Each structure stands twice: as C-alpha cells, then as structure tokens.
Amino acid sequence: GAGVSQSPRYKVAKRGQDVALRCDPISGHVSLFWYQQALGQGPEFLTYFQNEAQLDKSGLPSDRFFAERPEGSVSTLKIQRTQQEDSAVYLCASSIGVPSYEQYFGPGTRLTVT
Amino acid sequence: GQQVMQIPQYQHVQEGEDFTTYCNSSTTLSNIQWYKQRPGGHPVFLIQLVKSGEVKKQKRLTFQFGEAKKNSSLHITATQTTDVGTYFCAALMEYGNKLVFGAGTILRVKS
C-alpha cells in the first residue's frame, strides 16, 4: 500500500503561533517515531509510540512540544507558541515492530517560524 | 547524551572512484542501520547489521559491523552519479529503544 504520509508538507508560522503536524503511518505498523532534522544534520529523535502508548518522549525539546496517537494509527505533533529555533524538518517514521526494525520515513514537514 | 560519530562530513569523488563512510560509538550497540537521503528527500533504509563482525553486500555497497559492535562502515565501489546523497548510520544502543543518527556523510560524484 501507500507509504508514510505527512501533512502539511510546508508550514510557515509566525512566532508565538501553535502548529499541528500530522503523520499517517503505513497501515499495520505498530511503532511510530517523530524526528527533528535541522539543515545539514541527521534526524534527532523526539518521541516514540507503540500503538497508542507513548513509550519514550525523552527527545521532546520542551513542554511546548506534545505528541499523540490516540487510536494507534494517525499521530499528531503539536508545537505551542512556536519560536524561531523550532524551524526544521519534522520527520515521521513507522516500523512494523519494535525500534530494532527498519523504519519507513515520510516526506517530512518543513516548518519555518518567522 | 549518547552520540554516534560519523566521518567524513563530506566527500567529493570522481565517478568510478570508491567511497567509504565510518560510524563510531563509545558504547556497545545492539544493532546499526544505514539510511540514504537524496537531496530534498527523506531517509530511505538500506540495511541493518546485528551480529559482531557482520559483513553484508548490496551490489556495489559493502556494510561492516565491528567485532566489538562499536563501529561500522559503508563502502561503495566504483561510485556512480546515482549514488549522490547523504548517508546516515543510525545506531540502536544496547537496552535502548530509539535510533541515534550520525550527522551523515554527504557524497558528491563528479562525472
């Protein structure tokens, strides 16, 4: 079937606005991951879900970042009161099993905070 | 925090030359994965190495996992312009549940 999809692909937010980024994983994939990728860097882990349970949120930079996956499929990453340093590409990945399995990445959402 | 060092940061080669990128960790790894990201694209899984000393090949690509499970390498023989992109190693630490990505090696191929 289809791969991982993310929306929107591009988002421009004014500083202080809230944003919500959506991820549709591959159907049947148990694990879902969010990463932040700054220009010229590797993806940095934000948070991990196994089904609807958020098992690790140690990478979330501050309490302005919040992620959910209420029904164990679609996930939303919300950033409140955006700041310029939040500008980055936000990647979502899903995996059929635990984190040791290969991950399938979506195209990412490029967030620019002005 | 836990880090994975990847070198070189950048390599520009003539088409037909070989290319190698290295990944090192100070701690023992459970497994290591390699991803390729084309310019403007997203990371795409290439391979996973699990066993100490493991060597895997995919056509012109050879992946190795060190005996101590602390380092890994990706070697491309006779590069082609289609090999252009950024190659990332991603390590799963022992007893960890998240991948730690290296900073990547950017490969440019001159034809």
Side-chain angles (χ1 to χ4, degrees):
Chain A
V4 178
S5 61
Q6 292 186 245
S7 61
R9 292 292 312 277
Y10 303 91
K11 177 71 179 176
V12 178
K14 290 188 177 177
R15 186 179 168 192
Q17 282 184 333
D18 297 349
V19 298
L21 313 180
R22 178 188 168 104
C23 172
D24 281 88
I26 294 172
S27 177
H29 276 197
V30 168
S31 295
L32 185 145
F33 308 84
W34 282 99
Y35 295 88
Q36 181 188 62
Q37 186 173 27
L39 192 64
Q41 298 296 317
E44 289 218 15
F45 172 85
L46 294 177
T47 187
Y48 157 54
F49 290 86
Q50 187 171 327
N51 296 307
E52 68 278 3
Q54 189 174 19
L55 298 188
D56 189 336
K57 55 181 181 179
S58 62
L60 296 176
S62 75
D63 58 8
R64 296 186 296 104
F65 286 70
F66 171 76
E68 59 183 5
R69 193 186 185 198
E71 297 178 358
S73 56
V74 171
S75 176
T76 304
L77 176 67
K78 296 179 180 178
I79 309 174
Q80 297 177 325
R81 305 181 302 281
T82 52
Q83 299 180 6
Q84 283 193 316
E85 59 262 33
D86 299 335
S87 295
V89 174
Y90 290 86
L91 293 164
C92 174
S94 70
S95 170
I96 198 166
V98 296
S100 58
Y101 285 75
E102 65 185 269
Q103 297 186 14
Y104 295 83
F105 282 81
T109 295
R110 181 176 296 279
L111 173 65
T112 304
V113 181
T114 60
Chain B
Q2 294 161 333
Q3 280 191 319
V4 174
M5 305 304 295
Q6 191 172 354
I7 57 170
Q9 186 178 2
Y10 179 85
Q11 190 151 11
H12 194 172
V13 301
Q14 190 74 33
E15 189 174 20
E17 291 182 338
D18 293 355
F19 160 77
T20 305
T21 174
Y22 301 90
C23 196
N24 294 287
S25 168
S26 58
T27 58
T28 305
L29 306 175
S30 176
N31 71 37
I32 195 155
Q33 301 177 10
W34 286 91
Y35 291 79
K36 177 182 178 181
Q37 186 171 22
R38 293 182 184 276
H42 57 275
V44 174
F45 175 83
L46 294 176
I47 207 136
Q48 176 174 269
L49 304 170
V50 179
K51 300 177 184 174
S52 166
E54 190 169 16
V55 178
K56 287 188 176 180
K57 293 190 176 185
Q58 287 180 350
K59 297 182 180 178
R60 294 177 295 104
L61 277 61
T62 302
F63 304 83
Q64 293 190 351
F65 202 7
E67 293 289 341
K69 299 184 71 173
K70 290 185 177 181
N71 57 73
S72 181
S73 65
L74 157 59
H75 179 81
I76 303 178
T77 304
T79 54
Q80 300 175 358
T81 54
T82 52
D83 296 325
V84 162
T86 303
Y87 293 85
F88 293 101
C89 60
L92 187 69
M93 305 294 171
E94 268 194 333
Y95 315 117
N97 65 357
K98 61 189 180 189
L99 286 181
V100 177
F101 279 77
T105 296
I106 300 170
L107 172 63
R108 292 288 176 260
V109 179
K110 190 166 46 178
S111 60

